[in-house]
Amino acid sequence: MSLQSRNLFRNPAAGFIASVLLVLPAQAEEAGSSADPQERSKAKVHILEGLVVTGSAEGIDEVGGSATFISKEEIEKFSYTDINRTLRVVPGVQLQEEDGYGLRPNIGIRGSGSDRNNKIVIMEDGVLMAPAPYAAPAAYYFPHMGRMESIEVVKGPAAIKYGPSTIAGAINMFSTSIPDNEDGSISGSVKILGGEDATLRVHGYAGGWMPMSEAWEVGILAETLQDRTDGFKELDGGGDTGYSVQDYLGKLAFRSTAQSGLRHSFEFKVQRSDEVSDETYLGLTPADFAANPYRRYAASQVDEMNVEHLTFQASHRVDFSNDLNLTTTAYYHDTKRAWYKINDARLTGAPAWTSISSIVGDPVANAAELAVLKGAAGEIRVRNNNREYYAAGIQSVLGSSFLTGNIAHYLELSVRYHEDEEDRFQNDDIYTMAGGVMTLTTPGAPGSQDNRVGDAKAWAFYIQDTIDWGNLTLTPGLRYETIKLRQTRWGLADPGRTGPTTVTENSVDVLIPGIGATYYLNDEWQIVGGIHRGFAAPGTGSNSDAEKSVNYEAGFRYGSGPVSFEAIGFYNDYSNLLGTCTASTGGGCAIGAQFDGGEVDVKGLELSAGYDVAGLLGTGFSVPLGAIYTYTDAEFQTSFNSGFGPWGNVTAGDKLPYVPEHQLTLTAGVEGETWRANVIASYVDETRSVAGQGSIPANELINERVVVDLSGEVEIVPGVSLIGIVENLTDEVYNVSFDPAGARPGKPRTILGGVRFTF
C-alpha cells in the first residue's frame, strides 16, 4: 500500500482555522474492517481539520485516551452562552458554579479541583487561553461560549500533548470557522434572543472563501457577540446585578489550490472582547439564603468587574507531500481586568477588619459586622483587584506518516516557546455605610495593597507516535517542559517601582510520559486503556512541590448504527496535591500561597450512551436519546493541618471539597427536517464545600439538584427560524457554592425567545 493511498492530508487547507502546532493526531473518519489493518489505518491516519484530538463525534472511538467532542449541531440546540451548561454532557467533569451565567467558570476534571480552572488546560483554536497559564493559571478571562462552534474535552493519555498541566485534562474551544461553500459565496447567520431580566443576546457572523487567482483562494470572516442582562439577583436598595459583553472576531486566510507539490495555507485572527459585570464575591448566610436565595447585601453595591481581552494569532501550514506537513502558529494575548469588590468590614473606629468570608461563615460571632453588610452604620473596605496579563508564544508541529513493514505510523514532533506575566497593582478604598448607602471616604494609593509581578518563560517539547499494528493501536508519547518562574515585589509605598525589590525565582524541569492503547475486537467493540504522568507546576514565589500523580484508565467502547456506549474507569494516584490560596476560595490566607496536600486517591467511573429510537418507533424523524453518568470518589490519604480554607485540618479519609460523588445527565430530542425540540436534565449529588467525611454540616452543604432545560426551533420560511428556550424549567432553587464568601444560588427559571436568520 502506497503512502499516497492513505490520503493523509485530504482537503488540507479547509481546516486551517485552528492549525496550531501542538496536536495534529491521526484519526479515522470511519472505522474500516478490523480484519484488514491496512485499510483501517488508511481510514484513520489523516490529518484532521484544525487542532483536534477527536475531529468529530464519530472519531472518538479512535482516540488513545478519553475524549468528548461537542459539535456545532449540539451547541446550537440550546444556544448556551454558559460553558457550565454546555459541559454537562461531558463525563468526568465537575462544575462549581458561581454567578449563574458562567462568566467565571470553575471547572475540574476527575476530581482535580475546580477553582478558576487552574488544574486544567483551557485553549481556543489550540492556543493556551488563560491570561497567564504558567505564571498565574487561574483564569479570570474565559473565551465566551456564545461564539464557539465546537468543543473537545480530552482526558487520560491524550491530554499530555497539550500542557503545561497534565493532571486532569484539557478543554479546546473552536471559534467559528470560515464558511466554505462550493460556489464561493458568502454565507452566515444572525441570531437574536431576548427575555427575562432584560436579557438581549445577538450573535452574528458572515464570511466565505473566494478565488483570488488560479493558484490561490482568500477567506474572510467577521463575527460579533453582544450579550447583556440586568441579572437575576436582588440588590438591597436596588441596582443591576447582570453584565454586558461585547465580543468581536475577524479572520483573514489564504490557501493554495495546487494539487501537487507544496501546498500552503495561512490564517490571521484577531479577537477583542470587553466585559462589564456587576458581580461580587459576597454571598449570603445560610439563614438569609433560605429566606431569599437571590438577595444581595447592600455592601456589594459598588462591586464591578471590568475585563478587556485582545488576541492576535497567525498560523501557517505547509504540506510538503501527502506524508509530511509542518504547522506553525504565533500568538499574543493581552488581558486587563479590574474587579472592584468588597473585601472586609468593621464597625466605625474598630481596630481590625473582618473578612466577608468570616462574617457570613460565622454570622453569630460577627453579628455587628453582618449588620454593616446589610446597610447599618459602619465601614466597608473595597479592593481594586487591578491586574494586567500578557501571554505570547510560537509553536510548531511536524507530522510524518510512514510504514515499517505492515505497521503504520503517524509521528508528531512539536516544540513551543511561551512566556507570560501577571502584574498586580492593587489598592483598597474605604467607604462609610449609612442607611444602606456607601460613600467613599478614604481612597487608597495605587499599588498600596499589592505591588508585584509574576512572570514565566517555558520551552515545551513533545513527541508522539500513533502505531497501527493489526487490531491494536498504540499511542506512546513523551512531553518535556522546562519552566522558569519569577516573582518581583516592590514596596507598597512605591507606586513608581523605583525602589528596592524582593525577587524570588524557581524553575521546573519535568518529563511527562504517557501511552494509550485501543484494541479492536471487531467493527463494534473496542477495549481502551492508558497510563500517563500528571503534573502541575508550582506558582511564582512558591516553596511547594509540584503537583504530581500517576493516572490510569481502562474500559471499552461500543458503536453500531444508532447505538453507542462507552464505559471508562479511572484512577488518579496523587503523590502530592497542591492547593492555592485565592480570594475565590474564601481567602483567610496569604493570596498566592500554596499548600501541599500530600497523597490523594481519586477513582471513578464514566458512562455515556446514545440511541436514536427513530428506527424502533418507525417515525420519519430523529428521536435521539442520551445518558451521561459520572461516579467519583476523591479522598485524602494523609492527615495534616492546613491554613487553606477549603481543606482546613485534614484527616486521612476526608473527601475532597466540591467533588460530587454522583452526576447524571439525560438528554432527549425530536427532530424533523424543519423543526426540533430538545430537553436536557442534569442531576448533581450533594457535596461538601470543606474537606471532611460523614454527614455534611448545613453551613458546608452544597445542595443536590435536578436542573431541566428545554428548547425548540422551527423554520417558518427558508432561512428564518423561531427559537424558544427555557432554562431551569422547574425553577429549582439550589446553593451552588459557599465560596468565595457565602451561599450562592443557581440561576432561576429563565425564558428566552428569538429568531435565527441564515443566508
Side-chain angles (χ1 to χ4, degrees):
M1 181 182 68
S2 69
L3 293 181
Q4 280 74 14
S5 70
R6 295 163 62 93
N7 199 16
L8 181 63
F9 298 116
R10 182 158 54 90
N11 192 18
F16 189 73
I17 63 164
S19 56
V20 196
L21 57 168
L22 256 192
V23 261
L24 288 168
Q27 299 299 332
E29 287 192 319
E30 57 182 280
S33 169
S34 61
D36 188 343
Q38 290 190 339
E39 285 303 309
R40 186 164 57 79
S41 297
K42 174 181 176 180
K44 285 182 62 178
V45 188
H46 79 283
I47 294 292
L48 293 177
E49 296 184 357
L51 183 60
V52 297
V53 168
T54 59
S56 66
E58 293 76 16
I60 289 172
D61 62 357
E62 309 292 347
V63 174
S66 302
T68 301
F69 184 83
I70 307 175
S71 67
K72 177 180 180 180
E73 292 73 23
E74 290 300 312
I75 289 174
E76 286 182 344
K77 288 180 179 179
F78 288 90
S79 299
Y80 287 139
T81 56
D82 184 345
I83 186 65
N84 292 317
R85 288 183 124 81
T86 305
L87 292 179
R88 290 180 299 180
V89 298
V90 181
V93 172
Q94 287 84 37
L95 303 165
Q96 180 186 338
E97 296 183 50
E98 183 172 320
D99 50 57
Y101 295 110
L103 297 174
R104 247 75 58 196
N106 300 280
I107 304 169
I109 296 177
R110 292 181 173 176
S112 65
S114 54
D115 180 50
R116 294 288 179 260
N117 323 306
N118 63 5
K119 297 295 179 63
I120 65 175
V121 178
I122 301 296
M123 295 174 289
E124 180 180 327
D125 294 336
V127 169
L128 299 174
M129 199 50 62
Y134 283 84
Y140 285 88
Y141 164 80
F142 195 91
H144 294 115
M145 180 63 225
R147 61 173 179 81
M148 294 301 154
E149 183 173 82
S150 58
I151 301 174
E152 65 170 9
V153 181
V154 296
K155 299 160 284 185
I160 71 170
K161 63 178 57 187
Y162 292 109
S165 173
T166 62
I167 284 290
I171 298 175
N172 195 0
M173 310 176 72
F174 294 94
S175 65
T176 303
S177 57
I178 300 174
D180 198 358
N181 304 310
E182 292 185 1
D183 61 359
S185 62
I186 297 292
S187 62
S189 171
V190 177
K191 178 172 57 181
I192 304 172
L193 289 171
E196 294 181 272
D197 304 316
T199 298
L200 179 62
R201 187 179 305 158
V202 180
H203 175 232
Y205 68 89
W209 285 93
M210 296 158 285
M212 191 170 63
S213 67
E214 291 186 0
W216 288 90
E217 294 176 328
V218 60
I220 58 172
L221 177 77
E223 180 178 27
T224 186
L225 171 68
Q226 307 287 317
D227 188 15
R228 71 159 312 278
T229 182
D230 287 347
F232 61 86
K233 295 179 184 175
E234 303 163 7
L235 179 63
D236 291 350
D240 292 341
T241 60
Y243 66 89
S244 174
V245 168
Q246 298 176 313
D247 200 326
Y248 304 91
L249 180 143
K251 292 182 180 181
L252 176 65
F254 304 91
R255 65 188 184 192
S256 62
T257 59
Q259 299 302 308
S260 61
L262 296 180
R263 297 181 296 252
H264 294 272
S265 53
F266 302 85
E267 183 176 276
F268 305 94
K269 167 185 166 183
V270 60
Q271 179 263 330
R272 177 183 174 86
S273 65
D274 294 275
E275 174 199 325
V276 178
S277 52
D278 302 302
E279 266 303 330
T280 181
Y281 271 12
L282 180 58
L284 300 171
T285 67
D288 287 333
F289 185 91
N292 179 4
Y294 307 117
R295 178 185 182 183
R296 258 182 54 178
Y297 296 140
S300 66
Q301 62 192 256
V302 300
D303 289 12
E304 182 179 275
M305 173 67 133
N306 286 271
V307 185
E308 298 177 6
H309 178 83
L310 180 65
T311 288
F312 294 103
Q313 186 172 320
S315 302
H316 170 246
R317 171 171 166 169
V318 55
D319 296 306
F320 299 103
S321 69
N322 282 353
D323 310 312
L324 186 67
N325 85 339
L326 177 68
T327 303
T328 301
T329 296
Y331 56 90
Y332 174 85
H333 311 309
D334 183 83
T335 306
K336 298 177 182 178
R337 54 137 290 191
W339 199 339
Y340 194 70
K341 61 183 187 296
I342 179 175
N343 191 72
D344 38 28
R346 68 183 180 186
L347 298 180
T348 303
W353 296 92
T354 304
S355 70
I356 55 174
S357 59
S358 297
I359 296 171
V360 297
D362 193 347
V364 175
N366 299 291
E369 288 80 5
L370 178 61
V372 175
L373 298 185
K374 296 179 179 181
E379 292 182 311
I380 302 292
R381 188 160 61 174
V382 179
R383 180 157 297 168
N384 181 14
N385 289 268
N386 180 32
R387 306 174 193 174
E388 294 188 17
Y389 303 84
Y390 88 86
I394 185 168
Q395 52 191 22
S396 289
V397 64
L398 180 69
S400 176
S401 176
F402 58 92
L403 297 173
T404 56
N406 65 346
I407 302 175
H409 299 261
Y410 180 66
L411 184 67
E412 301 168 275
L413 300 169
S414 79
V415 59
R416 177 179 69 202
Y417 174 74
H418 174 96
E419 59 182 48
D420 59 47
E421 178 183 281
E422 179 198 44
D423 187 338
R424 293 182 179 234
F425 196 60
Q426 304 179 174
N427 62 276
D428 288 335
D429 293 339
I430 298 177
Y431 288 76
T432 59
M433 174 72 81
V437 177
M438 293 170 56
T439 303
L440 178 63
T441 56
T442 311
S448 58
Q449 188 276 323
D450 204 350
N451 189 6
R452 60 184 164 102
V453 171
D455 62 78
K457 297 180 179 180
W459 283 94
F461 303 87
Y462 178 74
I463 181 171
Q464 176 178 282
D465 190 10
T466 300
I467 305 167
D468 284 334
W469 184 18
N471 288 352
L472 178 65
T473 297
L474 294 175
T475 314
L478 181 65
R479 183 178 194 83
Y480 171 67
E481 294 258 2
T482 179
I483 308 165
K484 293 184 178 180
L485 302 164
R486 180 178 60 184
Q487 184 183 95
T488 305
R489 287 182 177 270
W490 288 268
L492 300 181
D494 184 14
R497 295 179 172 176
T498 59
T501 61
T502 300
V503 179
T504 304
E505 296 181 332
N506 53 327
S507 61
V508 179
D509 293 273
V510 62
L511 281 170
I512 306 171
I515 184 170
T518 303
Y519 185 78
Y520 295 79
L521 295 174
N522 51 43
D523 287 348
E524 290 83 26
W525 289 92
Q526 302 131 47
I527 299 174
V528 298
I531 179 174
H532 78 281
R533 183 179 186 183
F535 166 81
T540 58
S542 174
N543 294 319
S544 292
D545 295 330
E547 183 165 294
K548 297 178 182 178
S549 67
V550 179
N551 301 343
Y552 309 84
E553 66 174 23
F556 62 89
R557 299 187 182 111
Y558 173 82
S560 178
V563 181
S564 64
F565 182 78
E566 178 179 279
I568 302 289
F570 64 89
Y571 172 51
N572 294 353
D573 182 8
Y574 286 83
S575 57
N576 186 49
L577 180 72
L578 271 183
T580 302
C581 180
T582 63
S584 57
T585 57
C589 42
I591 301 300
Q594 293 193 307
F595 301 84
D596 293 321
E599 297 181 9
V600 172
D601 286 350
V602 181
K603 53 184 178 291
L605 177 66
E606 300 168 357
L607 303 176
S608 58
Y611 181 41
D612 192 329
V613 302
L616 182 65
L617 299 176
T619 63
F621 42 81
S622 178
V623 187
L625 305 177
I628 302 95
Y629 170 75
T630 302
Y631 167 76
T632 310
D633 180 19
E635 293 185 358
F636 287 96
Q637 300 301 301
T638 54
S639 301
F640 58 92
N641 295 330
S642 167
F644 181 46
W647 292 355
N649 296 327
V650 172
T651 300
D654 281 357
K655 303 290 187 180
L656 267 65
Y658 293 107
V659 180
E661 189 172 7
H662 302 283
Q663 297 181 96
L664 175 66
T665 297
L666 302 176
T667 64
V670 182
E671 303 177 7
E673 289 187 6
T674 60
W675 58 272
R676 65 185 176 201
N678 290 276
V679 62
I680 179 171
S682 178
Y683 167 77
V684 180
D685 197 5
E686 69 178 19
T687 187
R688 57 184 70 245
S689 61
V690 178
Q693 50 190 298
S695 60
I696 306 174
N699 63 347
E700 299 176 3
L701 175 64
I702 308 302
N703 302 131
E704 66 174 358
R705 67 264 192 185
V706 176
V707 178
V708 181
D709 293 349
L710 179 67
S711 73
E713 183 170 352
V714 58
E715 186 178 65
I716 54 175
V717 296
V720 182
S721 299
L722 297 181
I723 303 171
I725 300 169
V726 183
E727 297 178 348
N728 194 358
L729 177 67
T730 62
D731 204 19
E732 181 91 348
V733 177
Y734 56 101
N735 174 27
V736 298
S737 174
F738 279 104
D739 292 330
R744 312 179 72 85
K747 185 164 69 171
R749 180 169 52 223
T750 304
I751 301 174
L752 302 172
V755 61
R756 186 198 311 267
F757 303 95
T758 57
F759 56 91

